């Protein structure tokens, strides 16, 4: 769902996951947390931020387009979650990536 924006559900992830797997979401969430050590929501956020990092790396989309593609309500919401997960703002992450690319070109 994260790697294919056209596969994003029109309902909450909890409803989507529950319907797809045929189990109560609370049951699934409990099992998931016990196995993975994080909540389903945290897992989804981490993977969405990894996808955002990938999209920033390839520099083909603006932050607004990335937020829309990953179904964030706003750029601010994406930026906030990005910073919580990575410790960096999306623009600083992009700046570091550009700086590293420049150093590598000079080698």
């Amino acid at each position: 769902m994260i790697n294919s924006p056209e596969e994003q559900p029109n309902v909450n992830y909890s409803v989507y996951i529950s319907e797809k797997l045929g189990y109560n979401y609370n049951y699934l969430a409990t099992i998931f947390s016990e196995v993975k050590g994080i909540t389903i929501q945290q897992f989804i956020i981490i993977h969405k931020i990894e996808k955002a990092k990938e999209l920033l790396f390839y520099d083909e989309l603006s932050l607004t387009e990335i937020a829309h593609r990953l179904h964030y309500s706003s750029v601010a919401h994406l930026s906030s979650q990005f910073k919580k997960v990575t410790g960096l703002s999306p623009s600083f992450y992009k700046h570091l990536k550009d700086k590293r690319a420049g150093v590598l070109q000079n080698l």
Side-chain angles (χ1 to χ4, degrees), residues 51-62:
K51 184 64 176 180
K53 286 167 58 177
E54 177 186 322
L55 294 169
L56 285 167
F57 181 82
Y58 289 110
D59 203 24
E60 296 172 358
L61 300 173
S62 70

Side-chain angles (χ1 to χ4, degrees), residues 31-50:
I31 298 295
F32 188 91
S33 294
E34 287 174 2
V35 171
K36 288 296 220 179
I38 59 173
T39 67
I40 292 173
Q41 187 66 22
Q42 289 168 324
F43 180 84
I44 291 169
I45 289 168
I46 289 167
H47 284 278
K48 285 173 79 171
I49 297 306
E50 285 302 314

Side-chain angles (χ1 to χ4, degrees), residues 5 15-16 19 22 44 57 65 68-69 72 75 82 91 93 103:
V15 172
Y16 180 81
E19 287 176 356
I44 291 169
F57 181 82
E65 291 168 321
H68 178 73
R69 178 173 283 193
Y72 278 95
V75 171
F82 194 98
S91 56
Y93 175 83
V103 168

Side-chain angles (χ1 to χ4, degrees), residues 88-105:
L88 306 170
S89 70
S91 56
F92 191 73
Y93 175 83
K94 186 172 166 31
H95 171 74
L96 286 177
K97 188 263 315 173
D98 292 342
K99 191 173 183 179
R100 274 183 277 181
V103 168
L104 291 175
Q105 284 180 336

